[in-house]
Amino acid sequence: MFLCTLAALFAVTWGAHQHPTTTTPIPKTDHELIQDLLAENAALRGRLGTMEQGVGDLSRQVMLQQLFVEERIRSDGSSGLKQVRNQQSGERSYLTADYATMGSVAGIHEHINNIRTVGMGELNVVLNGVEFRTRHNDYRLYMPTTDRTYNGRREIPFPDVPPAVLAKLTVAEQVEEMKEWFKAFKMQDHSVRDYRKYFKPVLCYMEGGWTTNTKTLEEPFFSDRHHIDASSWFDLQDKVRFASYSGGKSSLENFAYLPTTIINVVNGTPEYAQWNYRIMCHPLKNDLPTSAFEMIDDVGERMKKGMPMSRYNETRLARFQLRRQIPTNRNSYIPRTYLWGLLDDLMYEIPGKDNYGANITDDSLGLTMYHVNSNTEPLEPVNTAYYNRMYKIVEKDAMGNKNVHRGFSDSNFFAAQTSNPRIAALSVDTCKDYRDHKTHHNVHNCTHYSQRYTWAIPLEIIYLTPLYEWNPHNFRHTTASGGPEIYSTTHNSQGQVRNGKLDADHAYNGTWDKGFYRTPIELFSTTKAVGADRADTAKASVGVLDPHGVVQKVAASGTHIILPNIEGVGKVRTRYPIMPVHADGEQSRKELDALKEMVMNMAKYSSLFEVEPTTVSNANTQYNQQPHMLKVTPTTQDPPGYHGHDLMITQADIEDMKKGQTVRGILTTTDQQHQHSIDIHMDAHGQYVMAACDGLPRCWDGHDTHLTLDF
């Protein structure tokens, strides 16, 4: 470039010599021209260097601003679920969505007609100071691999069917024996039937980290129902900005806010990193007794429904936490602080991005991280390739502590180190000056550290049951749809539409991964989903042809939140949400939780009150606020299929109806992916009757207008 410019200048100069004019100055010598060019080049380099320095300084300032935001989020709360999508307004703040919708915590729902899909909605999450918003999270029962493949996954094996069930000769006998196994699991009694071999717990978790792939959009994790609807990270960010600006949304809930950051500045050049997350599961090594779970009393959620604590466990709103240890006696269990507990043990079974079998130790900043429970020499280093949140150091810190929590104020996140270059690295140099006593020279010694980490929080524990493998009618199964031979929505060559109805021409001719109906309905006293949600996809029951061409009426066999009622057993919960919430780390929340415990257990904590509480209450007010449930008569109209609804009223509503008033706009529970808004009055016989349903004289799906008082 320099030579080309020089040649051009010589050409101009030579032309000036050939065609002199009276106004042409005396031409410069070649030496003078070269000196001018060198001076201009030096000035240009100076200006370019200043610009590079400015860009580098601005990039670093942007990076520090991101650090400021993350540090602010870390101090404002803990890692965990912050919010689900709000769907309605309310006259009290607790009547709107927080970390639960009107129907379920974290928007969990059921896709039990799918062999591996676990239903979970959109979430706003904080993970080690990074706030992001997910797409709709229907995830699959996958676990990490044993190789080093980035985001490698494989299917979690399903538990076997108890041989005692398979030994029965008839389906009816198998059903009765299977009930006994579910009873043993619910009662946690393995003395006669050792359910622990056939009801296997898996821990599902959310993992996030800064990735180096900032060019190509990378799907967070596989879902057979949802994917990010964008062509690039830039396209996704524009769509999220537009939706947030306008208040719109993706109807398929396939947008996700996943931030981009400047992770490093090298020689004035910014290096970017893209945040991404995934949901995976890990089969626990040992049985986990359900006594390890403690139900959290989210009072606001119970207030929305007017629900007593005794019924809360049988709803999708219930949230749990793992006790620090499995209690030997629940009644005498006392909550205490701890360093390393049951949850730490379980999360320490889960690998980071290097997958199962990896072994990494961390000695950054001159401090080797040891396992908290290692107390004998030689100390056991923490395998930082697996998720952990506490470690031990040999020398006490300035406060005299040896045990260190990874979060300054965040007690909820777990960290795992990785060697995978797909995760962005952070580097630092630490230098020490000392005098070498042998050479008597001053030495400046620096050590370079470079590390890659991801972070995780637990989401839920799912108990896999024998229903995944139980196939008493010997239905054929294919992983694909199987075409019109198994499933079809249009007429096939024989003029048939196979849609699961209970006749030979319309029943499914087998099962497939998204039509996983194999459980005999006789196992349940009702096939109605517990706390049905509009996002649920399974039919209550369908007809499937067995190998002899006989139509069998069966229910879905996938992952339930709570199994429908089993005669002699009751309802059985198989999904235990244990995700922490962001508000756990707020100082006001800690104070509120302590106050809530005192108020809810006045007798136990009466000594802590400044003024001893009295038991005097307004009996009339309590009487009027008593909740009651009305049941809507089930309908058999198809579509949508057999179903019913429940709705909650108060004693005050009943008193108003006795006076001839109509109670308006009561929302029912959701079933078969819909709910109703009902106006209710009391007739001359004291019966509860729909005055209107969704603004019409009768419900569109054929419910009878008479309602039944349940309690």
Side-chain angles (χ1 to χ4, degrees):
M1 185 67 183
F2 174 76
L3 293 176
C4 292
T5 305
L6 189 61
L9 287 172
F10 272 125
V12 172
T13 305
W14 179 255
H17 279 295
Q18 298 299 316
H19 306 283
T21 63
T22 55
T23 59
T24 301
I26 299 174
K28 294 184 178 181
T29 65
D30 294 346
H31 177 72
E32 290 174 329
L33 288 171
I34 292 173
Q35 292 301 313
D36 288 347
L37 287 172
L38 292 175
E40 290 180 10
N41 185 55
L44 183 61
R45 287 179 179 274
R47 289 195 297 272
L48 184 60
T50 301
M51 291 175 62
E52 288 179 345
Q53 181 66 38
V55 170
D57 290 344
L58 286 173
S59 298
R60 182 167 180 80
Q61 183 59 35
V62 171
M63 184 174 69
L64 294 178
Q65 285 297 113
Q66 173 68 19
L67 174 63
F68 167 76
V69 171
E70 291 179 12
E71 285 293 293
R72 181 63 181 268
I73 294 173
R74 289 183 182 112
S75 62
D76 281 348
S78 298
S79 294
L81 175 58
K82 187 174 184 180
Q83 178 75 41
V84 299
R85 181 178 287 277
N86 185 47
Q87 297 175 342
Q88 61 192 32
S89 300
E91 293 183 306
R92 298 288 187 273
S93 62
Y94 59 79
L95 293 176
T96 60
D98 41 33
Y99 37 84
T101 63
M102 285 296 290
S104 63
V105 63
I108 62 173
H109 50 277
E110 293 182 345
H111 296 300
I112 55 177
N113 58 303
N114 192 303
I115 191 171
R116 286 190 173 272
T117 300
V118 182
M120 182 175 287
E122 299 170 282
L123 305 176
N124 190 180
V125 181
V126 170
L127 193 48
N128 192 20
V130 180
E131 185 168 344
F132 60 102
R133 192 166 69 243
T134 72
R135 59 159 165 78
H136 193 104
N137 279 307
D138 293 343
Y139 64 93
R140 287 176 67 84
L141 293 171
Y142 284 144
M143 61 190 291
T145 58
T146 54
D147 57 24
R148 296 293 175 265
T149 303
Y150 179 71
N151 281 348
R153 66 174 189 264
R154 60 193 175 102
E155 293 182 344
I156 292 178
F158 292 139
D160 294 330
V161 181
V165 173
L166 298 177
K168 301 299 181 181
L169 298 180
T170 66
V171 172
E173 290 174 323
Q174 287 196 25
V175 167
E176 291 306 311
E177 180 63 25
M178 185 63 81
K179 288 180 181 179
E180 295 300 322
W181 287 90
F182 273 94
K183 183 177 182 180
F185 169 69
K186 181 170 184 177
M187 302 304 295
Q188 296 287 282
D189 180 5
H190 53 81
S191 60
V192 177
R193 289 173 175 82
D194 193 352
Y195 64 84
R196 296 173 296 181
K197 303 175 184 177
Y198 310 105
F199 291 77
K200 294 289 190 179
V202 299
L203 171 54
C204 299
Y205 58 97
M206 180 178 286
E207 174 186 67
W210 292 108
T211 69
T212 55
N213 180 16
T214 58
K215 303 294 184 183
T216 307
L217 184 73
E218 186 175 337
E219 193 65 39
F221 57 94
F222 177 78
S223 169
D224 54 5
R225 291 176 49 82
H226 293 273
H227 65 279
I228 290 181
D229 182 16
S231 59
S232 65
W233 291 118
F234 186 84
D235 181 38
L236 175 63
Q237 291 156 0
D238 272 358
K239 287 178 175 176
V240 171
R241 288 182 65 224
F242 181 83
S244 297
Y245 174 78
S246 65
K249 66 169 285 190
S250 162
S251 61
L252 296 178
E253 299 181 351
N254 285 336
F255 291 168
Y257 170 62
L258 302 172
T260 302
T261 191
I262 298 175
I263 196 74
N264 286 308
V265 179
V266 180
N267 298 325
T269 302
E271 292 183 350
Y272 293 91
Q274 174 64 49
W275 180 263
N276 213 339
Y277 79 104
R278 68 171 179 167
I279 297 177
M280 294 287 282
C281 298
H282 161 75
L284 296 178
K285 294 178 180 178
N286 301 306
D287 175 57
L288 182 67
T290 55
S291 60
F293 297 102
E294 179 182 18
M295 189 164 58
I296 298 172
D297 185 5
D298 290 323
V299 181
E301 303 306 320
R302 293 201 294 116
M303 286 286 287
K304 291 176 187 177
K305 297 285 189 178
M307 184 178 296
M309 193 67 173
S310 58
R311 295 187 59 245
Y312 196 46
N313 182 42
E314 293 187 349
T315 72
R316 300 185 183 191
L317 288 167
R319 187 168 62 93
F320 301 83
Q321 65 181 6
L322 281 175
R323 304 176 190 270
R324 73 181 186 279
Q325 62 186 29
I326 299 171
T328 55
N329 186 338
R330 274 194 203 186
N331 296 328
S332 61
Y333 186 86
I334 301 175
R336 291 189 176 94
T337 58
Y338 64 91
L339 295 176
W340 187 284
L342 178 59
L343 181 59
D344 297 272
D345 283 331
L346 301 185
M347 290 295 291
Y348 197 47
E349 294 181 13
I350 298 173
K353 294 295 187 182
D354 280 12
N355 301 328
Y356 293 115
N359 197 322
I360 305 175
T361 56
D362 189 337
D363 59 355
S364 59
L365 305 180
L367 297 172
T368 300
M369 298 179 182
Y370 295 100
H371 198 290
V372 170
N373 292 336
S374 179
N375 297 311
T376 58
E377 295 294 340
L379 294 178
E380 175 194 349
V382 171
N383 183 357
T384 54
Y386 286 73
Y387 281 105
N388 63 92
R389 59 179 173 178
M390 287 286 296
Y391 62 89
K392 177 189 290 187
I393 54 178
V394 174
E395 297 180 0
K396 294 180 180 179
D397 62 18
M399 292 295 292
N401 298 315
K402 287 188 174 183
N403 296 308
V404 181
H405 210 290
R406 287 193 176 272
F408 182 89
S409 60
D410 187 342
S411 62
N412 290 343
F413 78 85
F414 294 77
Q417 198 171 358
T418 179
S419 60
N420 199 301
R422 300 282 292 274
I423 298 299
L426 275 183
S427 302
V428 68
D429 293 322
T430 60
C431 300
K432 293 182 179 180
D433 293 323
Y434 63 94
R435 185 171 182 79
D436 191 315
H437 296 291
K438 293 183 178 179
T439 63
H440 303 289
H441 294 155
N442 292 327
V443 178
H444 182 69
N445 183 53
C446 293
T447 304
H448 180 78
Y449 299 101
S450 181
Q451 292 184 338
R452 307 173 194 271
Y453 266 92
T454 57
W455 307 278
I457 54 172
L459 289 181
E460 59 181 327
I461 288 177
I462 302 174
Y463 286 90
L464 305 185
T465 74
L467 296 187
Y468 296 96
E469 293 289 343
W470 190 35
N471 186 12
H473 290 296
N474 295 317
F475 297 140
R476 65 169 176 166
H477 183 83
T478 177
T479 56
S481 66
E485 290 187 0
I486 289 183
Y487 164 85
S488 63
T489 55
T490 58
H491 291 276
N492 60 19
S493 58
Q494 287 78 38
Q496 299 168 339
V497 178
R498 297 213 168 273
N499 54 14
K501 288 190 175 181
L502 299 175
D503 61 273
D505 289 337
H506 296 88
Y508 296 136
N509 194 11
T511 64
W512 69 105
D513 280 3
K514 295 185 180 180
F516 192 50
Y517 296 92
R518 301 203 300 196
T519 303
I521 62 166
E522 293 80 8
L523 181 67
F524 308 115
S525 57
T526 175
T527 54
K528 179 182 177 182
V530 180
D533 190 279
R534 281 171 287 187
D536 294 352
T537 55
K539 299 179 181 180
S541 61
V542 300
V544 180
L545 294 177
D546 67 17
H548 305 291
V550 178
V551 178
Q552 303 293 344
K553 192 175 181 180
V554 289
S557 303
T559 305
H560 291 76
I561 300 171
I562 304 171
L563 285 162
N565 189 68
I566 301 174
E567 186 177 359
V569 180
K571 299 172 184 177
V572 179
R573 176 179 284 275
T574 59
R575 289 177 65 179
Y576 286 81
I578 59 169
M579 66 283 293
V581 298
H582 173 63
D584 286 343
E586 295 175 354
Q587 302 309 310
S588 58
R589 174 61 178 255
K590 297 176 183 180
E591 193 82 357
L592 182 61
D593 279 348
L595 183 60
K596 180 177 69 176
E597 187 124 353
M598 289 174 61
V599 171
M600 292 297 185
N601 298 276
M602 286 189 179
K604 181 178 180 180
Y605 297 108
S606 60
S607 62
L608 299 180
F609 283 82
E610 295 178 6
V611 177
E612 187 173 342
T614 64
T615 57
V616 178
S617 62
N618 188 327
N620 187 55
T621 300
Q622 285 191 337
Y623 174 77
N624 285 328
Q625 292 178 350
Q626 288 179 2
H628 298 276
M629 177 184 287
L630 291 174
K631 286 189 171 294
V632 179
T633 303
T635 178
T636 58
Q637 182 174 309
D638 190 5
Y642 178 85
H643 71 285
H645 300 276
D646 301 330
L647 55 93
M648 299 299 298
I649 59 173
T650 65
Q651 184 64 39
D653 294 328
I654 294 177
E655 299 302 320
D656 288 341
M657 284 188 277
K658 287 179 179 179
K659 298 174 184 177
Q661 299 179 23
T662 299
V663 178
R664 303 185 185 278
I666 304 296
L667 290 176
T668 69
T669 56
T670 299
D671 203 345
Q672 291 288 25
Q673 304 176 46
H674 72 276
Q675 64 183 156
H676 301 288
S677 176
I678 295 178
D679 298 345
I680 311 168
H681 72 271
M682 187 178 292
D683 66 14
H685 304 288
Q687 301 296 314
Y688 300 93
V689 181
M690 293 186 197
C693 180
D694 300 321
L696 301 173
R698 298 181 69 92
C699 294
W700 62 269
D701 50 351
H703 293 291
D704 190 272
T705 57
H706 287 83
L707 307 171
T708 304
L709 184 66
D710 189 48
F711 69 84

